[in-house]
Amino acid sequence: MITANVEKALNEQINKEMYSAYLYMSMSAQCGEMGLKGIAVWFMAQYHEEMFHAMKIYEYVARQGAKVRLGAIEQPQQDYSSVLEMYEKTLDHEKVVTKSINDLMDLAIEHKDHATQAFLTWYVTEQVEEEESATDILQRLKLMGDNTGGLYLLDKELGTRVVNAPVNFSQGLEAAAGA
Ligand code: FEO
């Protein structure tokens, strides 16, 4: 059982995670157009992980007997001047998501909603990793400057990223995770 306010905020967070997926899908498309196939793989892996973030909340809301309400997903930026700009925007965006998760946690505490607090703990930890990985890549991009050899090597490295989340949600998350 969750309160109407928590239900509304969780549904808004589903939308934010879906927007995150859409944003990274857009960045992946542009990397592909630029010939940076490895970085395109990295952003598409990020897309899948964001879809998983959305689905975890979707399932939690449903399991609590609350109502899943899906809103319109905002159009993401279509064009970027460089990969550096993409990672700057990625880090900025992840900081916004971190704040949103923290606000949700504050709301759950305010409503004495222990189950939602326990559920959100996973997201608090996940956001540390999200900001850390974006920061790491951004720092490396800044260090390499206009060095195209460095970008080539980074592209090769980021292309090895594997999706660390289930991607088929049709039978529910437990089935998707092979549990
Ligand atoms: Fe779902 Fe990248 O935070």
Side-chain angles (χ1 to χ4, degrees):
M1 179 73 191
I2 56 178
T3 66
N5 281 354
V6 171
E7 176 186 289
K8 182 169 179 287
L10 285 168
N11 274 306
E12 286 168 359
Q13 191 64 36
I14 292 175
N15 187 274
K16 288 171 190 168
E17 302 292 348
M18 295 293 288
Y19 171 76
S20 302
Y22 214 32
L23 175 68
Y24 298 133
M25 184 196 239
S26 168
M27 290 181 180
S28 180
Q30 187 166 348
C31 286
E33 287 165 23
M34 293 161 74
L36 295 166
K37 305 281 189 219
I39 303 177
V41 166
W42 192 95
F43 277 118
M44 197 54 86
Q46 193 70 15
Y47 157 84
H48 283 296
E49 292 195 6
E50 298 299 353
M51 292 298 291
F52 173 61
H53 296 172
M55 283 307 301
K56 268 179 83 78
I57 304 170
Y58 169 104
E59 191 173 90
Y60 176 73
V61 171
R63 287 182 69 201
Q64 283 284 14
K67 182 98 180 150
V68 172
R69 292 194 180 276
L70 303 178
I73 302 169
E74 190 186 328
Q75 183 181 36
Q77 182 174 336
Q78 305 290 305
D79 297 297
Y80 297 86
S81 59
S82 63
V83 175
L84 179 71
E85 187 196 355
M86 287 186 215
Y87 279 96
E88 283 171 342
K89 295 278 166 71
T90 295
L91 181 57
D92 288 348
H93 179 67
E94 289 303 331
K95 286 179 178 172
V96 169
V97 174
T98 299
K99 181 177 183 321
S100 179
I101 294 291
N102 289 343
D103 289 347
L104 243 177
M105 182 65 98
D106 288 344
L107 187 70
I109 291 167
E110 186 188 319
H111 284 249
K112 298 183 168 39
D113 182 342
H114 294 194
T116 300
Q117 289 172 50
F119 171 73
L120 289 172
T121 299
W122 184 88
Y123 287 85
V124 172
T125 306
E126 177 71 7
Q127 281 311 119
V128 174
E129 194 180 308
E130 292 282 71
E131 287 191 29
E132 185 183 17
S133 65
T135 300
D136 176 56
I137 296 168
L138 185 55
Q139 280 176 339
R140 291 169 65 188
L141 284 164
K142 284 180 177 167
L143 278 173
M144 72 180 65
D146 294 331
N147 180 343
T148 51
L151 188 59
Y152 173 78
L153 289 176
L154 185 68
D155 186 60
K156 279 188 80 160
E157 180 189 326
L158 296 188
T160 62
R161 180 178 179 181
V162 290
V163 179
N164 187 25
V167 296
N168 179 357
F169 309 118
S170 53
Q171 304 293 327
L173 287 189
E174 280 193 14

